[in-house]
Amino acid sequence: MEPRFQTNRLTLRLFEPSDALLVQALAGSEEVARTTLSIPHPYRVLKSENQAELGYWVGRPFWGQGYATEAAQKIVKFGFEGLRLDHIFAAAMTKNPASYKVMQKIGMKPEDNLPKQILKSGMYEDLVHYGMVKSEIIND
Ligand SMILES: CC(C)(COP(=O)(O)OP(=O)(O)OC[C@H]1O[C@@H](n2cnc3c(N)ncnc32)[C@H](O)[C@@H]1OP(=O)(O)O)[C@@H](O)C(=O)NCCC(=O)NCCS
């Protein structure tokens, strides 16, 4: 059962699709994004919600051998063809070129720069978002 709570002044419930535009406007405020970990600024609402975020890590001894690229390429193909997603995106700290190089190599394009987006080890870090749609798949 979906959690739903009532306080004196508030109803706390899960989002519904009809909340999208209001949430975009309110959560999209720079003052909200400044101190939250996963709220992007600007806050975009895609026409279709059929999207997913790609993430990856590889054990240190195995870096630089193309494994992340090879795996990401396969997963993206599964996302579009198996899960029928419309859009796949990934985020990396701008100080992590190895990660956004992987995104570029699988055909993702830059979508957003998100300055000072996450607090990591006491420092605000800049993020870059990359993304792609199905027609941008690079086949191996
Ligand atoms: C990011 C990560 C997944 C990459 O894995 P990987 O298997 O080494 O990636 P690949 O070998 O497929 O590709 C890495 C590319 O980045 C390049 N690269 C690596 N370090 C780089 C640097 N400092 N500057 C520029 N390019 C760099 C490599 O040369 C390679 O490109 P090339 O094939 O054109 O030579 C791995 O470094 C990792 O697990 N890091 C820690 C966790 C992490 O940051 N995950 C991503 C979070 S968004």
Side-chain angles (χ1 to χ4, degrees):
M1 197 179 73
E2 281 186 6
R4 190 181 179 97
F5 304 102
Q6 205 72 42
T7 69
N8 285 346
R9 296 180 299 161
L10 307 170
T11 299
L12 306 176
R13 59 162 175 79
L14 298 180
F15 288 133
E16 294 167 359
S18 59
D19 299 326
L21 288 180
L22 194 55
V23 170
Q24 181 188 27
L26 296 176
S29 147
E30 199 274 328
E31 284 171 288
V32 172
R34 192 187 302 154
T35 47
T36 47
L37 282 184
S38 58
I39 294 183
H41 182 78
Y43 193 109
R44 295 176 312 132
V45 173
L46 293 180
K47 285 196 190 80
S48 164
E49 293 177 6
N50 202 15
Q51 62 169 333
E53 180 173 0
L54 172 71
Y56 37 74
W57 62 269
V58 169
R60 181 64 188 95
F62 309 101
W63 289 6
Q65 298 176 57
Y67 289 141
T69 304
E70 202 174 310
Q73 206 167 353
K74 191 64 155 184
I75 293 298
V76 155
K77 196 169 159 57
F78 169 70
F80 287 125
E81 294 174 1
L83 301 178
R84 302 198 180 283
L85 297 172
D86 295 325
H87 177 244
I88 299 177
F89 67 97
M93 293 182 205
T94 53
K95 70 175 186 188
N96 191 3
S99 182
Y100 56 79
K101 191 83 188 285
V102 170
M103 298 170 195
Q104 290 164 358
K105 287 196 295 179
I106 65 171
M108 287 184 165
K109 305 281 186 313
E111 293 187 337
D112 266 331
N113 286 303
L114 307 165
K116 310 266 179 269
Q117 191 60 200
I118 56 163
L119 190 58
K120 179 83 180 170
S121 308
M123 297 267 293
Y124 280 102
E125 297 288 348
D126 300 339
L127 287 190
V128 57
H129 270 203
Y130 275 70
M132 67 195 300
V133 293
K134 187 174 177 180
S135 58
E136 291 168 329
I137 281 186
I138 295 172
N139 284 304
D140 47 326

